[in-house]
Amino acid sequence: SVLYWWLYTQYMRHHACALSLVSIMLHAVTVGAATFDTVYNKVPVEKDVSTCFDVEGWCKCPTGHAITGLYKGNCHLLTCLDTYHCARPQGSSGVINCVSLDVTTAMSVMTSTASCPAGKVLTGMYRTSCDQLSCINQFECCEFSHPDGTYTIDAVPSRAAWTTCLDGFNVWCDVSASEYMFGVSRAANGDNLRALDFGE
């Protein structure tokens, strides 16, 4: 249920206080989240990406879902991105108008931002053969479809602080209950998962 999912994420956040993929003072990644009308409750699912982040290729949510959280294992490299939290708005009939976005430059330069085009959410990431944060070079960005059209995304997204979220090991970092990721930003220094600092 939605209540169970909310309680679970709060529990994981409470017990993952040392988790951030980066410290804001070190190398931060701002994770964007598009907020949908709260009437559209999330339908959550977990996606094991532990094997696909070990090799070059795409790591995507199940069809029709977008990323809402990340689980990091026992290191700071891409290979330790083990699980996605994915979700879709209740009533969604899938995703449409998907595009592959080249984020090579944005993910390689400090204090830069990589985000999906307006109205789209992040459904997958592509990693190359190396194992650093800059080795993510493509996003898959899609719109959620609805029997009556498409969902409206808030013009001004909110931001969830991940400052201490992914500094540790074996921890979750999630966006808030009504949000979906749409991008990331790099800041300061470093090129590993500890550079993720905010969820939006």
Side-chain angles (χ1 to χ4, degrees):
S1 71
V2 173
L3 176 60
Y4 173 83
W5 182 256
W6 183 86
L7 290 171
Y8 173 78
T9 56
Q10 298 307 305
Y11 174 85
M12 293 306 296
R13 287 179 187 172
H14 176 74
H15 290 272
C17 58
L19 143 93
S20 135
L21 290 177
V22 159
S23 158
I24 188 169
M25 303 302 294
L26 301 177
H27 22 300
V29 168
T30 303
V31 181
T35 303
F36 288 82
D37 190 320
T38 53
V39 69
Y40 301 118
N41 294 323
K42 280 182 179 176
V43 180
V45 65
E46 285 190 7
K47 170 66 175 180
D48 183 343
V49 292
S50 55
T51 6
C52 70
F53 266 112
D54 287 343
V55 296
E56 180 172 358
W58 281 103
C59 294
K60 299 181 181 182
C61 280
T63 302
H65 295 71
I67 303 171
T68 62
L70 306 172
Y71 181 86
K72 187 181 102 172
N74 60 2
C75 73
H76 298 308
L77 303 175
L78 288 184
T79 188
C80 286
L81 273 182
D82 290 342
T83 314
Y84 287 160
H85 272 160
C86 302
R88 61 175 175 82
Q90 192 170 19
S92 172
S93 51
V95 292
I96 57 173
N97 301 326
C98 295
V99 296
S100 295
L101 180 70
D102 187 335
V103 294
T104 305
T105 301
M107 295 301 289
S108 301
V109 178
M110 303 301 177
T111 66
S112 60
T113 300
S115 53
C116 289
K120 297 183 186 293
V121 290
L122 183 62
T123 57
M125 295 183 282
Y126 186 96
R127 64 154 287 175
T128 59
S129 57
C130 60
D131 211 18
Q132 302 301 314
L133 188 60
S134 58
C135 301
I136 294 175
N137 72 350
Q138 290 185 74
F139 287 169
E140 182 181 71
C141 304
C142 303
E143 299 170 29
F144 284 123
S145 64
H146 186 275
D148 299 321
T150 56
Y151 291 83
T152 301
I153 296 177
D154 280 358
V156 181
S158 61
R159 172 176 288 188
W162 282 10
T163 309
T164 58
C165 194
L166 290 164
D167 283 341
F169 302 113
N170 305 312
V171 285
W172 278 104
C173 224
D174 291 282
V175 296
S176 65
S178 61
E179 296 179 328
Y180 297 80
M181 289 170 56
F182 69 80
V184 297
S185 299
R186 295 199 54 159
N189 61 307
D191 194 25
N192 58 39
L193 291 180
R194 298 186 64 216
L196 293 177
D197 205 46
F198 290 98
E200 299 190 327

